Amino acid sequence: MTPSHDMTREGEVMYDLIRDLYPICRSITGDGVRKTLAVLRKHIPLEVHEVPSGTKVFDWTVPKEWNIRDAYVKDRKGSKVVDFGQSNLHVVNYSVPVHATVPLEELKKHLYSIPEKPALIPYRTSYYKEDWGFCLSHSALQSLSGPEYEVVIDATLKDGHLTYGEFVLPGETDEEILVSCHVCHPSLCNDNLSGIALATYLARSLQPLPRRYRYRFLFIPGTIGAITWLALHEAATARIKHGLVVACVGDGGSFTYKKSRRGNAEIDRVVEHVLRASGQPYRIREFTPYGYDERQYCSPGFNLAVGSLTRTPHGEFPEYHTSADDPSFVRPEHLAASLAMYRSVMEELEANRLYLNTNPKCEPQLGKRGMYRHAGGYGGGADRELALLWVLNLSDGTMSLLDIAEKSGLAFQVIRAAAEDLLAHGLLRPLDPQQSNSR
Amino acid sequence: MTPSHDMTREGEVMYDLIRDLYPICRSITGDGVRKTLAVLRKHIPLEVHEVPSGTKVFDWTVPKEWNIRDAYVKDRKGSKVVDFGQSNLHVVNYSVPVHATVPLEELKKHLYSIPEKPALIPYRTSYYKEDWGFCLSHSALQSLSGPEYEVVIDATLKDGHLTYGEFVLPGETDEEILVSCHVCHPSLCNDNLSGIALATYLARSLQPLPRRYRYRFLFIPGTIGAITWLALHEAATARIKHGLVVACVGDGGSFTYKKSRRGNAEIDRVVEHVLRASGQPYRIREFTPYGYDERQYCSPGFNLAVGSLTRTPHGEFPEYHTSADDPSFVRPEHLAASLAMYRSVMEELEANRLYLNTNPKCEPQLGKRGMYRHAGGYGGGADRELALLWVLNLSDGTMSLLDIAEKSGLAFQVIRAAAEDLLAHGLLRPLDPQQSNSR
Amino acid sequence: MTPSHDMTREGEVMYDLIRDLYPICRSITGDGVRKTLAVLRKHIPLEVHEVPSGTKVFDWTVPKEWNIRDAYVKDRKGSKVVDFGQSNLHVVNYSVPVHATVPLEELKKHLYSIPEKPALIPYRTSYYKEDWGFCLSHSALQSLSGPEYEVVIDATLKDGHLTYGEFVLPGETDEEILVSCHVCHPSLCNDNLSGIALATYLARSLQPLPRRYRYRFLFIPGTIGAITWLALHEAATARIKHGLVVACVGDGGSFTYKKSRRGNAEIDRVVEHVLRASGQPYRIREFTPYGYDERQYCSPGFNLAVGSLTRTPHGEFPEYHTSADDPSFVRPEHLAASLAMYRSVMEELEANRLYLNTNPKCEPQLGKRGMYRHAGGYGGGADRELALLWVLNLSDGTMSLLDIAEKSGLAFQVIRAAAEDLLAHGLLRPLDPQQSNSR
């Protein structure tokens, strides 16, 4: 399960995908998401689902579909002082259509800038209150002096659909691993074209491998998309054993894992173990009910074992939710290293099984099976031999290979190899899926 | 539930009460307790109970009633060298009557002093061995030189009653909070006129408030009083959910909380949380089976959730059990601050409920209810909004508001306000009393 | 149960026993073990058991019996350059018979030395691969220059028996304490003639004492002996409540306790408590599946509460498994102190019972029973009185005397004395064996 990957190449293709998706104006509904998913279909055969506006999804309702053609603010001379054609961040996402001439004083009530970062355009939305607005750099805002301006937002907000993408890789069992990323942000690269690209290429690279788990990749608008999917697939959530929300994986910050609400789920322990074994700096954070779609997956009625593995978390890099989160902010090599980390997590989840020692009373005679050194005398055992003893001693049906690795202090790969050796000699047998399901 | 209190005034009235009670010679039985309770009845309408001598109370028997009129030691010239009229500490409490002329050598076997504190009169008792004695300063003891002395203890020890006071404030439920103080000590202020005054004014200040809990205040002689009450009300103890033994709350030392035997009861967690939130220094001590009446409430057959909140604990201030524990040792401002601390504990117990998120699958849509900011974009949520999310996420019926405050790191008051907001919007409902009873 | 022991005398007799056993060439089977047990029978009346070669014992088979008369390597001049007569370590233990003349090159494939310790003869075995070999000092190995050598191992390896010794001291109940030591090592003193001598004299010193537990002492060849005993007495293992594997107890290193696989068994807590109370430095180690026969006792199918109390652990002293582990390496005073430590452990196991407070509601009246000071006033209680209160308060059937000692911070002996006092006054009763069995 560890073919060597051409990380340079993988980084580049993910980066190219991000560049392809960057210009599209996405939102929680509308053609931006559809175009995005169409691009992704060139990479993986995902299915596109459409859910009609007005559909009740728990406490929420699928909203109207928003589409935008053009938007600008023109001064009296006819110059566009704010132009959607330059950056789709210029329009407050989900703005209602408007065409009016308004005095500067009035206009300013609809303008958003960041005084502390005067060169950057902020990203703002108004999903759940019908309103309109423009975002612009603070320096541009300050240069406005005309008495009145023509404002145009050529958008439509009407019944339509919420669109999301889903891609499922079957496995030997019907236990699932969920990988979820939000596809609602417009021209912002780290948040979250990086997550979209990673999820796509994680799916691609798992495709040729044997898989114990079924993998479900969701490309959904944030919040309302996760709520919609959960509402429409409530029964199916019982099969989700582990999950990760992918976002902000293209910057150069160290990895950050936000635990699931359970706090000690297998996904939490595996990700922490993989990060620790990487030798690189990393951060582990407890669950909080604020963040990305883990908020929904970890709501108390679901309480799924879903964490979020990012690099620098949302809100903690200065480029966050501004026009500076552009293609220059993410790097192919960071994307590639993030993909490799996700792959290591999946590999460890696949390998982290519970076994039963078939010969639990006293040690089995490893020597007669040729598994052991011959001329002995209680000399210092090598790691491999110690690993055999640890796996035999602890495989009582309650401890997984990760538990054994942590208890023994040996590397997971050494423990795993010992388990495979013992399995091949009939000294171990996997707990059958029914039993492991009931944990 | 937080009307502003005039702490200066409260401190003064408690201090005046202490001065009123100071001269009375209390013991575990007799008129001293009756007089004390009669004074308290001017402040709160407590009930006075009388339990006959000889009543079996678990392993003990209610003892005879002791009353004293006068006591002295006279030298040959007729001068009173020790005089009960000067201080009721001069007589070993519960001394049997005596009238005799004894040589100094014999007298000294009945005299008690503190050589290390030569100016102070100690407080001594002889409840369970019939004996007599006098306490005096070590310098007075050393000045005795006459060959013989007349000793008089004009006391009676005969069948009568054990007297205690009880005051109950009804609540919405029949779950109880117990506040217990010992009333057996004679002229000693911090131990325990301070506790008596605090309990009295805590009762007064809870009277006008809405109360979820019923409050039971006990004014009882130490040890035998608690044992008697428990023996006569054994079945009622099941309703006691939380309790505090009040003593030593008038000195200037920092607060000290001695945990209940359970060690992690709600009262233990609430008191510790209130002390921590106060920003003042404090001490937390594990339960020990030595101390005041928590010894009885926390005996293994009861194991009630009763701790003890004091300032400097018994035995740890030099004035303890000496004539220096007089009105100059306690201060109105310390009494007032102690009362405020007890009130904060009760307020947090009242507020610390378990709620159920009525919409546990995904987040409810706070925006449509006007509970949330409008123009969003995953910006940093203010404490109030975070508190809404925390309360919703953790209100699964297992976590109280205090649990949520501790998990989130937010102030209890912020969490409580969020819960009230969610309750008003129907997004939360209290676990019904039956369910919360069964915890 | 604490008669004073003449430690100097005890150290000397154990040391003399080691010197008597030192010359014998032991192995996992054969006359070396029989001779060893015959010597031990002069000290304790142990039973000798013989298990035929070929007996199936779990995954293993009792091997052939090995006996050796002589062995040497001769150069062309007829000089013995390696001679079994000088040290029985010179022959790889369990070597098959050989008589041949071989060139030096070929011979060297069968020679074992320790280059880093050029003066010492190593100890090597070849139990489970039929092979032959010689061990010698590295300097002797390097001085070999002849073109060829005569090698003779006059040994037999044929069907016979595995021999072990067993000694049982009955107790009041049928709950057992197991003390196990390996008897398969040839001329090596700390590993494990020290363990054999300690087990023998521990048995002797327990013989005259009252015993709640039955004690079972096993003198068995390492690994195969423990496996054989467990296979033949599988049902009996349910009665083993506590156990220790004894080895390496004659050197001057500090005590080292390796916990049982359970990690928090009573034996683990008692040994740690006794070591801590000793005031001497000590080491506690978590269980690992590598070591002595605790590997078998703690295999997952048995998971017995068996730890191992040694001084310097196997492999961690430079003399380990070399000719330097000779009588000069172990000292009578170390043996005596080790025996005393084992005796303290057994004494605490015997005393560490669970009691029930017969009067759990409120404190019993200690005063009327003369168990308490008389003239009181909440003065500082002495340890003895505090211990009475602690034992009463915590004896609710879930806490043993060791639990109470640890919770109170008082010495085990003080707690134990308080329990005996309370027991004598009828204020405590032991949990009956059935109940304590079911823990």
Side-chain angles (χ1 to χ4, degrees):
Chain A
M1 201 171 165
T2 43
S4 75
H5 292 275
D6 181 341
M7 284 180 60
T8 307
R9 170 93 190 108
E10 284 183 338
E12 279 162 10
V13 294
M14 285 189 281
Y15 190 74
D16 289 347
L17 175 54
I18 288 173
R19 292 197 71 107
D20 288 349
L21 298 170
Y22 182 65
I24 302 170
C25 181
R26 280 164 291 273
S27 183
I28 52 172
T29 56
D31 290 332
V33 173
R34 280 189 200 96
K35 284 178 202 165
T36 300
L37 298 178
V39 172
L40 298 184
R41 281 177 61 86
K42 297 178 197 163
H43 300 260
I44 51 170
L46 59 77
E47 286 184 27
V48 175
H49 299 271
E50 301 275 355
V51 183
S53 301
T55 304
K56 297 293 291 176
V57 285
F58 297 125
D59 190 53
W60 302 61
T61 305
V62 172
K64 292 175 183 167
E65 183 174 327
W66 183 71
N67 284 299
I68 185 165
R69 277 158 301 276
D70 196 9
Y72 52 81
V73 178
K74 248 187 207 162
D75 64 17
R76 274 185 168 175
K77 297 173 199 155
S79 300
K80 292 184 176 173
V81 297
V82 185
D83 184 3
F84 176 74
Q86 299 283 319
S87 165
N88 57 44
L89 296 180
H90 275 314
V91 172
V92 168
N93 200 292
Y94 230 67
S95 282
V96 295
V98 65
H99 190 163
T101 299
V102 294
L104 177 57
E105 206 67 357
E106 178 63 23
L107 175 62
K108 282 190 171 175
K109 294 177 187 162
H110 295 268
L111 298 183
Y112 301 93
S113 69
I114 314 172
E116 315 84 60
K117 300 171 188 168
L120 305 185
I121 311 165
Y123 162 56
R124 300 296 290 267
T125 67
S126 187
Y127 297 142
Y128 299 105
K129 185 188 171 199
E130 296 207 348
D131 200 356
W132 62 266
F134 288 88
C135 298
L136 71 171
S137 71
H138 197 62
S139 54
L141 174 62
Q142 286 184 304
S143 69
L144 297 182
S145 58
E148 61 177 30
Y149 290 87
E150 180 191 5
V151 296
V152 170
I153 297 182
D154 179 12
T156 53
L157 186 62
K158 51 187 180 185
D159 282 348
H161 294 83
L162 177 149
T163 310
Y164 70 88
E166 187 167 19
F167 179 57
V168 176
L169 281 171
E172 290 161 25
T173 69
D174 66 355
E175 298 192 335
E176 281 192 14
I177 295 178
L178 175 71
V179 178
S180 176
C181 60
H182 60 280
V183 296
C184 51
H185 285 34
S187 294
L188 297 167
C189 286
N190 201 34
D191 180 14
N192 188 31
L193 294 177
S194 72
I196 295 169
L198 187 148
T200 303
Y201 275 83
L202 179 63
R204 267 183 81 113
S205 71
L206 291 172
Q207 238 170 342
L209 300 177
R211 292 174 301 272
R212 185 156 64 101
Y213 288 106
R214 180 194 299 157
Y215 290 76
R216 184 177 302 274
F217 294 85
L218 293 183
F219 301 86
I220 50 177
T223 304
I224 186 65
I227 292 168
T228 299
W229 189 87
L230 285 165
L232 301 180
H233 302 85
E234 192 173 338
T237 59
R239 293 195 299 262
I240 298 174
K241 296 296 162 190
H242 323 285
L244 287 174
V245 168
V246 199
C248 302
V249 288
D251 66 293
S254 50
F255 286 102
T256 305
Y257 179 63
K258 174 182 169 179
K259 290 183 183 180
S260 78
R261 182 179 183 274
R262 299 185 189 179
N264 200 25
E266 188 176 345
I267 184 69
D268 301 322
R269 297 186 52 229
V270 164
V271 175
E272 181 157 4
H273 183 259
V274 167
L275 290 173
R276 191 165 60 240
S278 75
Q280 299 166 36
Y282 63 92
R283 292 170 286 200
I284 301 289
R285 303 225 173 138
E286 294 301 317
F287 177 77
T288 69
Y290 191 71
Y292 292 116
D293 286 330
E294 67 277 7
R295 293 163 67 158
Q296 313 309 328
Y297 301 126
C298 297
S299 57
F302 288 109
N303 197 22
L304 298 178
V306 175
S308 180
L309 177 57
T310 64
R311 285 175 173 270
T312 309
H314 68 90
E316 301 184 22
F317 49 93
E319 297 82 358
Y320 174 75
H321 277 196
T322 73
S323 51
D325 185 4
D326 67 12
S328 72
F329 180 56
V330 298
R331 300 297 316 145
E333 60 270 26
H334 302 325
L335 292 163
S338 296
L339 177 58
M341 190 63 80
Y342 266 78
R343 207 148 42 201
S344 296
V345 169
M346 300 307 160
E347 193 180 322
E348 190 159 314
L349 284 171
E350 288 281 341
N352 186 35
R353 305 191 65 168
L354 283 121
Y355 295 96
L356 272 181
N357 180 337
T358 57
N359 194 73
K361 289 177 179 163
C362 298
E363 292 171 7
Q365 193 175 357
L366 299 178
K368 73 181 180 191
R369 294 174 176 85
M371 300 175 75
Y372 218 42
R373 71 190 177 287
H374 300 294
Y378 290 107
D383 270 10
R384 199 193 67 84
E385 288 172 359
L386 273 178
L388 294 171
L389 296 176
W390 275 110
V391 174
L392 287 167
N393 190 272
L394 297 183
S395 288
D396 58 7
T398 70
M399 298 190 81
S400 73
L401 295 189
L402 175 56
D403 295 323
I404 298 173
E406 294 194 335
K407 191 115 179 170
S408 68
L410 297 172
F412 183 81
Q413 297 309 331
V414 173
I415 290 294
R416 180 185 168 183
E420 282 165 4
D421 199 2
L422 291 164
L423 206 54
H425 282 88
L427 293 173
L428 224 54
R429 65 175 177 79
L431 272 185
D432 65 67
Q434 280 84 343
Q435 285 177 268
S436 72
N437 270 358
S438 68
R439 289 181 81 208
Chain B
M1 199 172 165
T2 42
S4 75
H5 292 275
D6 180 342
M7 284 180 60
T8 306
R9 170 94 190 108
E10 284 183 338
E12 279 162 9
V13 293
M14 286 189 281
Y15 189 74
D16 289 346
L17 175 54
I18 287 173
R19 293 195 71 106
D20 288 349
L21 297 171
Y22 181 64
I24 302 171
C25 181
R26 279 163 292 272
S27 182
I28 53 173
T29 56
D31 290 333
V33 173
R34 280 189 200 96
K35 285 177 201 165
T36 300
L37 298 178
V39 171
L40 298 184
R41 281 176 62 85
K42 297 178 196 163
H43 301 260
I44 51 170
L46 58 79
E47 286 184 25
V48 176
H49 298 271
E50 301 275 355
V51 183
S53 300
T55 305
K56 298 292 292 177
V57 286
F58 297 126
D59 190 52
W60 302 60
T61 304
V62 172
K64 292 174 182 166
E65 183 174 326
W66 183 72
N67 284 298
I68 184 166
R69 275 159 301 277
D70 196 9
Y72 53 80
V73 178
K74 248 185 204 163
D75 63 18
R76 274 181 168 178
K77 298 170 201 160
S79 301
K80 290 185 179 174
V81 296
V82 184
D83 183 5
F84 176 74
Q86 299 283 318
S87 167
N88 58 44
L89 295 181
H90 275 314
V91 172
V92 169
N93 201 292
Y94 230 68
S95 283
V96 295
V98 64
H99 189 164
T101 298
V102 293
L104 177 57
E105 205 67 355
E106 178 62 23
L107 174 64
K108 280 190 171 174
K109 294 177 187 163
H110 295 269
L111 299 183
Y112 301 92
S113 69
I114 313 171
E116 314 84 59
K117 300 171 187 167
L120 305 185
I121 311 165
Y123 162 55
R124 300 297 290 268
T125 67
S126 186
Y127 298 142
Y128 299 107
K129 186 188 170 200
E130 296 207 346
D131 201 358
W132 62 268
F134 289 88
C135 298
L136 69 172
S137 70
H138 198 62
S139 53
L141 174 62
Q142 286 185 303
S143 69
L144 297 181
S145 58
E148 60 177 31
Y149 290 86
E150 181 191 4
V151 295
V152 170
I153 297 183
D154 178 14
T156 52
L157 187 60
K158 51 188 181 186
D159 281 350
H161 293 82
L162 177 148
T163 310
Y164 71 87
E166 187 167 18
F167 179 58
V168 175
L169 281 171
E172 289 161 26
T173 69
D174 65 355
E175 299 193 335
E176 280 191 15
I177 296 179
L178 175 71
V179 178
S180 177
C181 60
H182 59 281
V183 296
C184 50
H185 284 35
S187 295
L188 297 167
C189 286
N190 201 33
D191 181 15
N192 189 30
L193 294 177
S194 72
I196 295 169
L198 187 147
T200 303
Y201 275 82
L202 179 61
R204 268 183 80 113
S205 72
L206 291 172
Q207 237 169 342
L209 301 177
R211 293 175 301 271
R212 188 157 61 101
Y213 289 106
R214 180 195 299 156
Y215 291 74
R216 184 177 303 275
F217 294 83
L218 294 183
F219 300 86
I220 50 176
T223 306
I224 187 64
I227 293 168
T228 299
W229 189 86
L230 285 165
L232 301 181
H233 303 84
E234 193 174 338
T237 60
R239 294 196 297 262
I240 298 174
K241 295 299 162 189
H242 323 286
L244 289 174
V245 168
V246 200
C248 302
V249 288
D251 66 292
S254 50
F255 286 102
T256 305
Y257 180 64
K258 172 182 170 178
K259 290 183 183 179
S260 78
R261 181 179 184 273
R262 299 185 188 179
N264 201 25
E266 188 175 346
I267 184 68
D268 300 323
R269 298 187 51 230
V270 164
V271 175
E272 182 158 2
H273 183 259
V274 167
L275 289 173
R276 193 166 57 240
S278 76
Q280 300 166 36
Y282 64 92
R283 293 170 284 201
I284 301 289
R285 302 224 172 138
E286 293 301 316
F287 177 77
T288 69
Y290 191 72
Y292 292 115
D293 286 329
E294 66 277 9
R295 293 162 66 157
Q296 313 309 328
Y297 301 126
C298 297
S299 57
F302 288 108
N303 198 23
L304 298 178
V306 175
S308 180
L309 177 57
T310 64
R311 286 175 171 270
T312 310
H314 68 90
E316 301 184 24
F317 48 93
E319 297 81 358
Y320 174 75
H321 277 196
T322 74
S323 52
D325 185 4
D326 66 12
S328 73
F329 180 56
V330 298
R331 302 296 315 145
E333 59 270 27
H334 303 324
L335 292 163
S338 296
L339 176 60
M341 191 63 80
Y342 266 77
R343 208 149 42 202
S344 295
V345 168
M346 300 307 160
E347 192 179 323
E348 191 159 313
L349 284 171
E350 288 281 342
N352 186 35
R353 305 192 64 170
L354 284 120
Y355 295 95
L356 272 180
N357 180 336
T358 56
N359 194 72
K361 290 177 177 163
C362 299
E363 293 171 8
Q365 193 175 358
L366 299 178
K368 73 181 179 191
R369 294 175 176 86
M371 300 175 75
Y372 217 42
R373 71 189 176 287
H374 300 294
Y378 290 107
D383 270 8
R384 199 192 68 82
E385 287 173 359
L386 273 178
L388 294 171
L389 296 176
W390 275 110
V391 173
L392 286 168
N393 190 272
L394 298 183
S395 288
D396 57 7
T398 71
M399 300 189 80
S400 72
L401 295 190
L402 175 56
D403 295 322
I404 298 172
E406 294 194 335
K407 192 115 179 169
S408 68
L410 297 172
F412 183 81
Q413 296 309 330
V414 173
I415 290 296
R416 180 184 167 182
E420 283 165 5
D421 200 3
L422 291 165
L423 205 55
H425 282 88
L427 293 172
L428 224 54
R429 64 175 176 80
L431 271 186
D432 64 69
Q434 278 85 343
Q435 285 178 267
S436 72
N437 270 356
S438 69
R439 291 181 81 208
Chain C
M1 199 171 165
T2 44
S4 74
H5 292 274
D6 180 343
M7 284 180 60
T8 306
R9 170 93 189 108
E10 284 183 339
E12 279 161 10
V13 294
M14 285 190 281
Y15 190 73
D16 289 346
L17 175 55
I18 288 173
R19 294 196 71 106
D20 288 349
L21 298 171
Y22 182 64
I24 302 170
C25 181
R26 279 163 292 273
S27 182
I28 53 173
T29 56
D31 290 333
V33 173
R34 280 190 199 95
K35 285 177 203 164
T36 300
L37 298 178
V39 172
L40 298 185
R41 281 176 62 85
K42 296 178 197 162
H43 300 259
I44 51 170
L46 59 77
E47 286 184 26
V48 175
H49 298 272
E50 301 274 355
V51 183
S53 301
T55 304
K56 297 293 291 177
V57 286
F58 296 126
D59 191 52
W60 302 61
T61 305
V62 172
K64 292 176 182 165
E65 182 174 325
W66 183 72
N67 283 298
I68 184 164
R69 276 159 301 277
D70 196 9
Y72 53 82
V73 177
K74 249 188 204 161
D75 65 16
R76 274 184 166 177
K77 296 173 198 158
S79 300
K80 290 185 179 174
V81 297
V82 185
D83 183 3
F84 176 73
Q86 300 282 318
S87 166
N88 58 42
L89 296 181
H90 274 314
V91 172
V92 168
N93 201 293
Y94 231 68
S95 282
V96 295
V98 63
H99 190 164
T101 299
V102 294
L104 178 56
E105 205 67 357
E106 179 62 23
L107 175 62
K108 281 190 171 174
K109 294 176 186 164
H110 294 269
L111 297 183
Y112 302 92
S113 69
I114 314 171
E116 313 85 59
K117 300 172 188 168
L120 304 185
I121 311 165
Y123 162 56
R124 301 297 290 268
T125 67
S126 187
Y127 298 141
Y128 299 105
K129 186 189 169 198
E130 296 207 348
D131 201 356
W132 61 267
F134 288 88
C135 298
L136 69 171
S137 71
H138 198 61
S139 53
L141 174 62
Q142 285 184 304
S143 70
L144 297 182
S145 57
E148 60 177 30
Y149 291 87
E150 181 191 4
V151 295
V152 169
I153 297 184
D154 179 11
T156 51
L157 187 60
K158 52 188 179 186
D159 282 350
H161 294 83
L162 176 149
T163 310
Y164 71 87
E166 187 167 19
F167 179 58
V168 175
L169 281 172
E172 289 161 26
T173 69
D174 67 354
E175 299 192 335
E176 280 193 14
I177 295 177
L178 175 71
V179 178
S180 175
C181 60
H182 60 280
V183 296
C184 51
H185 284 34
S187 295
L188 297 167
C189 286
N190 201 33
D191 182 12
N192 190 29
L193 295 177
S194 72
I196 296 170
L198 187 147
T200 303
Y201 275 83
L202 179 61
R204 267 182 81 112
S205 71
L206 291 172
Q207 237 169 340
L209 301 178
R211 293 174 300 272
R212 187 157 62 102
Y213 287 107
R214 181 194 298 157
Y215 290 76
R216 184 177 303 274
F217 294 84
L218 293 182
F219 300 86
I220 50 176
T223 305
I224 186 65
I227 292 168
T228 298
W229 189 86
L230 285 165
L232 300 181
H233 302 83
E234 192 173 339
T237 59
R239 292 196 298 260
I240 298 174
K241 295 299 161 190
H242 322 285
L244 288 174
V245 168
V246 199
C248 302
V249 288
D251 67 292
S254 51
F255 286 102
T256 306
Y257 179 65
K258 173 181 169 180
K259 290 184 184 180
S260 77
R261 181 180 184 272
R262 298 185 190 179
N264 201 25
E266 188 176 344
I267 184 68
D268 301 322
R269 297 187 52 231
V270 164
V271 176
E272 182 158 3
H273 183 258
V274 168
L275 289 173
R276 191 166 59 240
S278 76
Q280 300 166 35
Y282 64 92
R283 292 169 286 200
I284 301 289
R285 302 223 172 140
E286 294 302 316
F287 177 77
T288 70
Y290 190 72
Y292 292 116
D293 287 328
E294 68 276 8
R295 292 162 68 158
Q296 312 309 328
Y297 300 126
C298 297
S299 57
F302 289 108
N303 198 23
L304 299 178
V306 175
S308 180
L309 177 57
T310 64
R311 285 175 171 270
T312 310
H314 68 90
E316 300 184 24
F317 48 93
E319 297 81 359
Y320 174 75
H321 277 196
T322 73
S323 52
D325 185 4
D326 66 13
S328 73
F329 180 56
V330 298
R331 302 298 315 146
E333 60 269 26
H334 302 326
L335 292 163
S338 296
L339 177 59
M341 191 64 80
Y342 267 77
R343 208 148 41 202
S344 296
V345 168
M346 299 308 160
E347 193 179 323
E348 190 158 314
L349 284 171
E350 288 282 343
N352 186 34
R353 306 191 65 169
L354 284 120
Y355 295 96
L356 272 181
N357 179 337
T358 56
N359 195 72
K361 288 176 178 163
C362 299
E363 294 171 7
Q365 192 175 356
L366 299 177
K368 73 181 179 191
R369 293 174 176 88
M371 300 175 75
Y372 219 42
R373 72 190 176 286
H374 300 293
Y378 289 108
D383 270 9
R384 197 191 71 82
E385 287 173 359
L386 273 177
L388 294 171
L389 296 176
W390 275 110
V391 173
L392 287 167
N393 190 271
L394 297 183
S395 289
D396 58 6
T398 70
M399 299 190 82
S400 72
L401 295 190
L402 175 56
D403 294 323
I404 297 172
E406 295 194 335
K407 192 114 179 169
S408 68
L410 297 172
F412 184 80
Q413 295 310 331
V414 173
I415 290 295
R416 180 185 167 183
E420 282 164 6
D421 199 3
L422 292 164
L423 205 54
H425 282 89
L427 293 172
L428 225 53
R429 64 174 178 80
L431 271 185
D432 63 69
Q434 278 83 343
Q435 284 178 267
S436 72
N437 271 356
S438 68
R439 290 182 83 209

